[in-house]
């Protein structure tokens, strides 16, 4: 479909990539990865025909249509949201109008005339094409895509220029998906999407009938959408089969092989050079020396690219807080305004009668659609806003730090980045500070920029880094992963995993939430629902996993009841006596409480084990190699064994509680 041959590109004096050969075929699903500044977005523009190569050639097959979504900068106006999407179907609208015209002509012409036959043939041909291209369902398709990307039905008739830049980019993405080009080019399409819209886009791309190339800093999104990875590294392209997880494993293996080949080659070169130097001036060895000189000249030297430095950043651990960090009791929050569900009061209700407790060490992810109240809840916890009703309490020795999306406004706009960070962390060396800044995408001369000249995304990244140098014991982070690349997210994630304080955070990065969260608070409809576990566990419970599990356990207990019941004919008297005796013995209240707590722990363990088992079984369906399949099978067996043990203990404790009642 598209082929690059010996392709190269410069950006000013900087070489981005060279000697690139790449063939994109009609069903490819490709993730384009690489460090910031390596040329990913530039390459996307070249594939879209918006930029040109400096070296080599680009060959595009006839009939190829490319649709390109940039990171930002698209603004739409002059139409309603729905009308803007319908513009995509201009050709189908023209066909529809022609079909109407042909219908009128057919009704007026003599059925026996040659003109009638020509018009009828044209009508049937055009109608078949219109139906094949789903012309009769375009309005339904527009509605499906708009709903999937988070546009409510009441938004469809609003003017496009009423929406913010992020929503404008969602609308541009909707138009692109409706066009269905046979090469879709998406540059960080998830930047402006919440979790629900990302989940929908994942499913849409899974069923997309053509090729696509996408850039994303969302690791989970890459894992579930692509089957090939193209990496720009050290000014060259490297290609891998599989998703992002497989890419990481293959890259590690490739680097190990490259290092081994390099060492072997160096050993051979040293042997040749030693022989040549030793016998260069001996006539009897002249032939052998010349042979080795030729061999040395023919060796194509293996180059080891500079290793990407792995940065490990640890927070200074804060002072410990009490067990209870924060508590909400009957909290309500409303804002004055015209648009409100409570039309009579003229107020917009965000929460009502919210009760929950946050304990020391919790890592809580706040999820919900845009506008549900995630940022409002964080502001309430931070004390930046007060509840309208109810009570909010912070626990003993709790100190909160709040990272807002506009945190950068509090920075000294005239200070240079490196100087400001040095003042915030006087014990750190210049090398340590520059390494840390590099993790958050500030490199080379960027560190000498004044804060005031940074873009909004750059200032947000720097404000987050500055906050994390001296964290309090209760961190409140509102979308800290925005504007971070994969490497910076990993640094932040590792640091938060090692942090011994309490964290409440909002993020639209599924991988980040899955790794970090120990509980999920779902916000919506004025309520806050609390779910144990990470986002995967939350989805499983939302889909009825817990109810299904409880029903399965009830069925198992019900099946076991006949064996436990005494027979009517009076036989097995000794077997009756034990249950009767057990039934008459009441448990110590303290022991009973411990058993009930353990049962709740086991239910959570059973839920997690079943979720892991399901993932392992799905992974086994995708064959990679015999060794990996064997490893996956062994892991699956371990989790099944653990699940059976948890279930057995649960049954025994539940029966003990039943007979003591």
């Amino acid at each position: 479909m598209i082929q690059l041959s010996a392709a190269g590109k410069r950006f000013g004096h900087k070489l981005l990539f060279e000697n690139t050969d790449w063939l994109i075929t009609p069903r490819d699903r490709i993730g384009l990865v690489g460090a910031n500044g390596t040329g990913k977005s530039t390459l996307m523009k070249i594939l879209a025909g918006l930029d040109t190569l400096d070296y080599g050639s680009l060959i595009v097959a006839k009939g190829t249509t490319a649709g390109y979504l940039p990171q930002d900068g698209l603004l739409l106006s002059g139409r309603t949201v729905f009308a803007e999407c319908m513009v995509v179907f201009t050709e189908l609208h023209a066909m529809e109008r022609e079909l109407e015209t042909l219908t009128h002509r057919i009704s007026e012409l003599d059925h026996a005339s040659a003109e009638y036959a020509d018009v009828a043939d044209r009508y049937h041909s055009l109608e078949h094409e219109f139906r094949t291209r789903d012309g009769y369902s375009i309005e339904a398709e527009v509605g499906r895509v708009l709903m999937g990307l988070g546009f409510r039905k009441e938004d469809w008739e609003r003017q496009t220029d009423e929406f913010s830049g992020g929503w404008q980019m969602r609308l541009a993405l909707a138009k692109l998906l409706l066009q269905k080009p046979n090469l879709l080019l998406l540059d960080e399409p998830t930047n402006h999407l919440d979790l629900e819209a990302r989940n929908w886009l994942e499913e849409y791309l899974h069923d997309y009938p053509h090729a696509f190339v996408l850039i994303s800093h969302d690791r989970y999104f890459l894992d579930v959408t692509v089957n090939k990875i193209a990496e720009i590294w050290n000014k060259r392209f490297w290609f891998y089969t599989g998703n992002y997880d497989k890419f990481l494993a293959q890259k590690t293996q490739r680097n190990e092989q490259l290092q081994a080949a390099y060492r072997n080659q160096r050993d051979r070169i040293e042997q040749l050079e030693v022989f040549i130097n030793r016998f260069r001036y001996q006539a009897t060895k002249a032939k052998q020396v010349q042979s080795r000189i030729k061999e040395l000249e023919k060796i194509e030297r293996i180059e080891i690219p500079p290793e990407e430095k792995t940065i490990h950043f640890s927070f200074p651990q804060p002072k410990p807080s009490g067990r209870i960090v924060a508590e909400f009791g009957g909290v309500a929050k409303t804002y004055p305004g015209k648009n409100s569900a409570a039309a009579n009061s003229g107020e917009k209700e965000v929460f009502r009668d919210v009760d929950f407790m946050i304990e020391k060490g919790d890592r809580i992810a706040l999820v919900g659609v845009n506008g549900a109240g995630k940022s409002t809840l964080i502001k309430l916890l931070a004390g930046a806003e007060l509840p309208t009703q109810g009570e909010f309490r912070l626990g003993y020795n709790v100190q909160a730090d709040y990272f807002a999306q506009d945190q950068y406004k509090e920075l000294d706009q005239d200070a240079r980045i490196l100087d400001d960070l040095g003042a915030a962390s006087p014990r750190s060396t210049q090398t340590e500070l520059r390494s840390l800044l590099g993790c958050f995408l500030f490199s080379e001369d960027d560190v000498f920029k004044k804060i005031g000249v940074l873009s909004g995304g750059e200032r947000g990244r720097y404000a987050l880094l500055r906050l994390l140098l001296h964290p309090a014991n209760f961190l409140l982070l509102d979308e800290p992963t925005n504007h971070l690349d994969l490497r910076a997210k990993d640094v932040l994630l590792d640091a938060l995993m090692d942090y011994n304080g309490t964290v409440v955070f909002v993020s639209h990065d599924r991988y980040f939430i899955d790794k970090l969260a120990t509980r999920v608070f779902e916000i919506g409809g004025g309520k806050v629902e609390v779910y144990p576990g990470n986002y995967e566990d939350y989805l499983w419970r939302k889909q009825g996993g817990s109810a299904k599990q409880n029903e399965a356990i009830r069925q198992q207990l019900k099946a076991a009841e006949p064996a436990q019941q005494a027979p009517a004919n009076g036989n097995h008297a000794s077997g009756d006596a034990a249950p009767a005796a057990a039934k008459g013995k009441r448990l110590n209240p303290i022991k009973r409480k411990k058993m009930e707590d353990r049962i709740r722990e086991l239910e959570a363990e059973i839920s997690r084990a079943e979720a892991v088992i399901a993932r392992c079984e799905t992974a086994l369906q995708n064959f990679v190699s015999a060794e990996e399949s064997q490893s996956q099978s062994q892991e699956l067996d371990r989790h099944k064994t653990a699940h059976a043990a948890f279930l057995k203990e649960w049954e025994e404790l539940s029966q003990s509680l039943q007979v003591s009642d």
Side-chain angles (χ1 to χ4, degrees):
M1 200 161 67
I2 286 187
Q3 184 172 6
L4 293 171
S5 299
K9 181 65 179 178
R10 288 186 173 275
F11 187 77
H13 67 280
K14 180 182 178 182
L15 178 65
L16 297 177
F17 54 85
E18 62 181 348
N19 297 325
T20 297
D21 297 314
W22 187 14
L23 176 65
I24 301 175
T25 59
R27 292 287 296 176
D28 277 346
R29 282 143 160 67
I30 301 166
L32 184 59
V33 302
N36 276 43
T38 53
K40 302 188 298 295
S41 294
T42 301
L43 178 63
M44 292 288 258
K45 291 175 183 176
I46 291 169
L47 294 175
L50 302 176
D51 203 344
T52 57
L53 292 168
D54 292 325
Y55 316 105
S57 61
L58 172 69
I59 302 171
V60 181
K62 187 177 180 181
T64 299
T65 56
Y68 170 59
L69 181 78
Q71 291 184 34
D72 48 38
L74 295 181
L75 296 175
L76 304 166
S77 61
R79 296 187 182 91
T80 65
V81 168
F82 197 85
E84 187 67 45
C85 288
M86 291 295 285
V87 169
V88 169
F89 302 105
T90 303
E91 190 176 348
L92 283 174
H93 288 319
M95 292 171 64
E96 189 175 27
R97 288 192 295 272
E98 186 178 354
L99 284 171
E100 290 176 1
T101 302
L102 292 172
T103 301
H104 290 306
R105 289 190 64 193
I106 286 173
S107 65
E108 295 168 356
L109 292 171
D110 182 0
H111 289 201
S113 67
E115 185 180 1
Y116 176 88
D118 291 340
V119 171
D121 285 345
R122 172 61 181 164
Y123 177 87
H124 290 305
S125 172
L126 193 63
E127 197 274 339
H128 178 266
E129 184 181 355
F130 186 74
R131 187 173 61 253
T132 301
R133 293 172 60 177
D134 296 323
Y136 293 110
S137 60
I138 56 177
E139 291 189 356
E141 181 66 7
V142 169
R144 182 175 79 91
V145 171
L146 286 175
M147 292 288 283
L149 291 177
F151 289 92
R152 298 168 301 174
K153 201 160 187 179
E154 52 266 35
D155 293 331
W156 297 359
E157 296 307 316
R158 289 174 58 190
Q159 292 293 313
T160 56
D161 46 19
E162 294 178 28
F163 290 86
S164 66
W167 283 95
Q168 294 251 359
M169 292 306 297
R170 288 197 194 204
L171 185 55
L173 174 59
K175 291 179 64 178
L176 202 56
L177 297 179
L178 290 166
Q179 287 173 9
K180 290 186 180 172
N182 48 30
L183 178 59
L184 195 57
L185 303 166
L186 305 176
D187 193 349
E188 299 194 30
T190 59
N191 270 3
H192 306 286
L193 303 182
D194 56 22
L195 275 168
E196 289 73 17
R198 289 184 189 208
N199 293 342
W200 179 87
L201 183 58
E202 288 164 11
E203 294 178 8
Y204 187 94
L205 291 178
H206 180 270
D207 299 327
Y208 193 71
H210 308 298
F212 60 78
V213 180
L214 63 87
I215 301 169
S216 178
H217 294 322
D218 187 324
R219 183 167 168 169
Y220 181 87
F221 185 77
L222 284 172
D223 268 339
V224 299
T225 53
V226 306
N227 55 25
K228 291 182 180 178
I229 294 288
E231 182 192 26
I232 307 178
W233 182 43
N234 199 38
K235 303 179 181 59
R236 301 290 296 273
F237 270 70
W238 307 81
F239 301 99
Y240 302 84
T241 300
N243 62 10
Y244 190 80
D245 263 350
K246 289 186 173 64
F247 149 71
L248 291 177
Q250 291 174 43
K251 182 179 179 180
T252 300
Q253 186 179 16
R254 186 208 70 192
N255 287 346
E256 290 172 353
Q257 292 171 346
L258 190 64
Q259 291 283 353
Y262 176 78
R263 288 193 297 270
N264 291 336
Q265 188 182 78
R266 289 305 310 162
D267 289 343
R268 181 56 182 163
I269 289 172
E270 286 176 11
Q271 291 172 5
L272 293 173
E273 288 176 342
V274 167
F275 185 92
I276 292 167
N277 292 333
R278 183 177 179 183
F279 299 109
R280 183 185 296 273
Y281 302 108
Q282 293 186 20
T284 57
K285 298 287 186 178
K287 188 174 181 180
Q288 293 93 321
V289 168
Q290 288 301 315
S291 173
R292 282 160 175 76
I293 289 173
K294 289 179 181 178
E295 182 183 347
L296 192 62
E297 290 172 348
K298 289 179 181 178
I299 292 176
E300 187 174 342
R301 306 298 173 100
I302 297 172
E303 293 184 9
I304 300 293
E307 290 189 12
E308 297 171 330
K309 293 181 180 178
T310 303
I311 306 295
H312 297 287
F313 171 56
S314 297
F315 296 132
Q317 296 299 341
K319 294 178 180 179
S321 67
R323 183 180 68 84
I324 296 175
V325 173
E327 194 171 3
F328 268 33
V331 168
K333 180 65 179 176
T334 57
Y335 290 106
K338 295 179 181 179
N339 298 325
S340 172
N344 295 332
S345 66
E347 294 180 335
K348 178 181 179 182
E349 181 184 71
V350 184
F351 303 120
R352 62 178 177 275
D353 296 327
V354 171
D355 299 286
F356 62 75
M357 181 185 295
I358 298 173
E359 298 187 1
K360 180 184 176 182
D362 276 344
R363 299 197 295 263
I364 296 169
L366 306 183
V367 304
V369 298
N370 277 10
K374 300 186 294 293
S375 294
T376 300
L377 182 56
I378 279 195
K379 288 175 183 176
L380 290 173
L381 288 168
E385 293 191 8
L386 298 175
T388 308
Q389 292 178 3
E391 188 177 5
F392 162 56
R393 295 185 298 275
L394 283 179
Y396 171 73
N397 203 31
V398 173
Q399 295 176 325
D401 258 350
Y402 171 45
F403 173 77
Q405 294 182 45
D406 58 355
Q407 187 75 24
Y408 61 83
K409 292 180 180 178
E410 298 181 9
L411 300 174
D412 180 359
Q413 304 298 306
D414 295 324
R416 296 194 311 174
I417 294 176
L418 190 60
D419 297 338
D420 187 68
L421 195 65
S425 183
R427 295 185 180 181
S428 300
T429 66
Q430 290 280 305
T431 302
E432 289 170 339
L433 292 174
R434 294 194 69 151
S435 295
L436 202 50
L437 284 165
C439 269
F440 283 75
L441 312 182
F442 297 103
S443 57
E444 299 178 354
D445 292 340
D446 290 342
V447 302
F448 301 114
K449 288 181 178 178
K450 288 188 176 182
I451 294 170
V453 303
L454 301 179
S455 67
E458 288 173 330
R459 282 183 285 184
R461 285 202 307 272
Y462 178 68
L464 175 63
L465 170 57
R466 202 176 188 282
L467 172 72
L468 299 180
L469 285 175
H470 301 288
N473 54 25
F474 186 29
L475 283 180
L476 302 162
L477 308 175
D478 194 357
E479 300 197 22
T481 53
N482 272 11
H483 310 293
L484 300 184
D485 69 356
L486 285 161
R487 188 178 178 216
K489 285 181 185 178
D490 285 343
V491 171
L492 176 61
L493 179 60
D494 289 343
L496 288 172
M497 294 281 282
D498 294 336
Y499 169 68
N500 61 20
T502 305
V503 185
V504 177
F505 66 99
V506 177
S507 175
H508 298 321
D509 188 295
R510 171 76 178 271
Y511 179 83
F512 189 86
I513 298 174
D514 270 339
K515 285 291 185 182
L516 185 61
T518 57
R519 287 203 288 166
V520 172
F521 284 14
E522 181 191 43
I523 302 169
K527 298 186 295 183
V528 176
E529 298 285 346
V530 178
Y531 295 84
N534 61 9
Y535 192 76
E536 183 104 4
D537 298 326
Y538 155 74
L539 285 182
W540 180 78
R541 289 176 184 276
K542 287 283 287 182
Q543 293 162 2
S546 184
K548 291 175 185 175
Q549 172 195 313
N550 291 338
E551 178 60 29
I553 291 171
R554 280 195 292 272
Q555 293 297 329
Q556 289 178 355
L557 291 174
K558 189 175 180 181
E561 282 176 4
Q564 298 167 8
Q565 293 172 355
N569 60 9
N571 292 335
H572 306 292
S574 61
D576 287 340
K583 203 163 190 174
K585 185 178 179 181
R586 300 191 64 82
L587 286 174
N588 180 298
I590 296 175
K591 185 175 181 181
R592 183 182 185 87
K593 177 68 167 57
K594 287 182 178 179
M595 291 173 68
E596 289 172 344
D597 290 343
R598 178 58 181 161
I599 284 173
R600 282 192 289 271
E601 290 174 4
L602 286 168
E603 287 173 348
E605 293 289 353
I606 290 168
S607 299
R608 281 192 285 270
E610 288 179 344
V612 173
I613 287 169
R615 287 200 297 269
C616 290
E617 288 174 343
T618 302
L620 268 173
Q621 295 173 9
N622 301 318
F623 179 80
V624 177
S625 66
E627 293 80 9
E628 187 164 346
S629 294
Q630 184 179 5
S631 173
Q632 290 170 341
S633 297
Q634 291 171 350
E635 184 182 3
L636 179 60
D637 290 339
R638 286 196 302 273
H639 289 300
K640 283 185 174 179
T641 301
H643 176 265
F646 292 143
L647 197 58
K648 182 180 179 183
E649 186 181 353
W650 186 95
E651 290 173 357
E652 290 172 352
L653 288 172
S654 298
Q655 289 175 16
S656 297
L657 285 177
Q658 280 183 333
V659 298
S660 68
D661 289 336

